[in-house]
Amino acid sequence: MSALHEKFGLTRVINAAGTYTPLGVSRSPQAVRQAAAQALGEFFVMDELQDALSARVARLTGAEAAVATHCVSAGITLSVAAAIAGSAPERIAALPDTNGLPGRIVLPAGHAVNYGHPIEQDVRLAGGVPVLAGSEAGCTEAELDEALGRAGTGALLLVSSRLVRGAPVDLARAVALAHRHNLPAILDGAAQDLRIDELLATGADLVLVSPHKYMASPTVGLVLGRRALVAAVRAHEKGIGRAMKPTKEAIVGLLAALEEREALDLSAWRREQDAKVAALVSRAGALRGLRAEAIADPAGMPLRRARLHVDPQSAGLDARSLAHALRGGDPSIRVMEHGVSEGVLDLELVPLTAEEIDAIASRIETLAGTA
Ligand SMILES: *Cc1c(COP(=O)(O)O)cnc(C)c1O
């Protein structure tokens, strides 16, 4: 890493903020990097790459078919396009002008997340009209039922993410409700790629994941599910999807990442992650004014994060100042800051080496241990 950072004068980063797009999302393993680099020197029949990917994903997950898009943001837009306009060439060419086709897309209000931009914008880019059901506090089945009844030939968009707010919506029951109205259900599980089986088991017609997050592929989106809808998503490559196309190196890199995933020993991986979190929790928790614990991912990904509770009185600085100081050093250490106003910092250690975790612990000791 440091060769590139030095050559181009770039900030060196230790990313404990998760699979975060503004920091480059993830680090690909050697096999994935090699595959992507090799692909850059070759021509391919791009349709064959998509076919090979679809067959491989179907074999691995049991989904009927799959298609790669530029990323999940693109995948949401193209899934909505498929739900609204299907595969008819003249409709594909007309989008985002829907020419009067009903395009209401229902979302539980707490699922209208902002993952760097509002998810409703992905819907609007395809000519869809986002309709929020319920409130931020939650969405009852009656509220969802009522909104779906008004949706015409729209669809239900559900999100499985730690960003979701309010009382949890039972995803399988919500999908069943959409099907009772003869509407397709699209499930955004972008950062949930270790739970693909569970997401497919909800009965959702399309499930979306970001392989560049925990699967550490090059930037790409994966849309899996029912054959006809996946085919429609792919058909929109000749429409608005032109600006959302996956690259050859991304698809080949994804094929390599799927191979790595297939070989993954998940329980050994979890033990390794837990040991990294335990090491940081024990060092940071020993400091005056800091309490540290391991916390589970709220959306159900099988990983824990280190959580620091900062008591400004005895630590000598508050959570916001600690995050600021970590960010300002070299290398710049980035943590999850969504809890700063409650005195909380979360650190995700999955992509980090023992040396990097040691560097984080030492920096925290210097900043907070001296009060
Ligand atoms: C990351 C994320 C996205 C966007 O995924 P990209 O592949 O980066 O476009 C969408 N939804 C959720 C819930 C996410 O976490």
Side-chain angles (χ1 to χ4, degrees):
M1 98 163 181
S2 45
L4 285 174
H5 291 76
E6 207 159 299
K7 181 168 178 193
F8 297 111
L10 304 169
T11 303
R12 295 193 309 149
V13 176
I14 296 179
N15 174 26
T19 53
Y20 189 45
T21 299
L23 295 178
V25 199
S26 59
R27 273 173 164 168
S28 301
Q30 190 65 19
V32 172
R33 284 184 261 163
Q34 265 167 5
Q38 238 175 344
L40 282 167
E42 304 290 344
F43 292 109
F44 300 95
V45 177
M46 290 301 287
D47 272 336
E48 282 181 6
L49 276 184
Q50 288 278 29
D51 290 341
L53 176 71
S54 181
R56 184 149 192 101
V57 171
R59 190 168 64 66
L60 280 174
T61 66
E64 288 178 14
V67 59
T69 56
H70 177 72
C71 60
V72 159
S73 182
I76 295 167
T77 296
L78 295 177
S79 296
V80 168
I84 294 175
S87 298
E90 64 284 359
R91 289 182 173 177
I92 287 172
L95 284 192
D97 183 346
T98 55
N99 288 326
L101 292 172
R104 294 161 70 91
I105 308 296
V106 176
L107 272 147
H111 288 209
V113 298
N114 185 317
Y115 57 79
H117 84 145
I119 195 168
E120 295 108 298
Q121 193 165 32
D122 293 325
V123 172
R124 291 204 309 273
L125 265 174
V129 179
V131 175
L132 301 188
S135 70
E136 291 268 321
C139 174
T140 64
E141 286 188 30
E143 286 168 325
L144 203 51
D145 193 42
E146 195 268 335
L148 288 166
R150 286 187 286 117
T153 64
L156 173 63
L157 177 56
L158 296 167
V159 181
S160 172
S161 163
R162 62 184 177 81
L163 302 173
V164 161
R165 302 169 309 278
V169 170
D170 184 312
L171 299 177
R173 291 177 69 106
V175 169
L177 213 49
H179 289 168
R180 231 174 291 150
H181 289 275
N182 284 319
L183 299 176
I186 301 162
L187 178 50
D188 169 11
Q192 305 284 309
D193 62 68
L194 283 161
R195 300 177 57 230
I196 289 176
D197 292 352
E198 284 170 65
L199 300 181
L200 284 171
T202 62
D205 302 273
L206 293 176
V207 169
L208 293 87
V209 295
S210 296
H212 52 126
K213 291 185 173 171
Y214 297 97
M215 234 187 277
S217 74
T219 296
V220 69
L222 184 60
V223 182
L224 12 48
R226 292 224 330 264
R227 193 180 315 282
L229 265 178
V230 168
V233 168
R234 205 166 146 181
H236 282 268
E237 281 174 4
K238 296 195 167 64
I240 58 173
R242 173 70 194 199
M244 306 174 190
K245 59 185 168 294
T247 61
K248 58 186 177 183
E249 65 275 19
I251 300 178
V252 171
L254 171 53
L255 285 166
L258 287 167
E259 238 162 64
E260 298 275 298
R261 172 55 61 81
E262 207 178 354
L264 179 71
D265 177 345
L266 186 60
S267 37
W269 182 83
R270 293 184 70 166
R271 280 196 298 278
E272 196 185 315
Q273 303 315 318
D274 284 350
K276 292 198 275 186
V277 171
L280 185 65
V281 162
S282 105
R283 273 179 73 180
L287 299 172
R288 204 145 69 92
L290 289 193
R291 189 162 64 76
E293 60 177 336
I295 54 146
D297 175 60
M301 273 288 274
L303 64 91
R304 295 197 179 90
R305 302 186 176 90
R307 172 162 290 180
L308 307 182
H309 300 263
V310 186
D311 172 18
Q313 227 80 93
S314 44
L317 79 179
D318 64 9
R320 195 180 303 276
S321 318
L322 178 56
H324 186 80
L326 288 168
R327 176 193 287 258
D330 178 24
S332 176
I333 294 170
R334 307 298 182 99
V335 303
M336 293 173 156
E337 299 185 24
H338 53 270
V340 279
S341 49
E342 288 89 50
V344 164
L345 298 179
D346 286 345
L347 289 87
E348 185 168 306
L349 307 179
V350 172
L352 302 183
T353 63
E355 293 71 39
E356 288 170 323
I357 293 166
D358 177 61
I360 295 173
S362 303
R363 188 86 65 78
I364 294 173
E365 284 162 357
T366 310
L367 293 167
T370 51

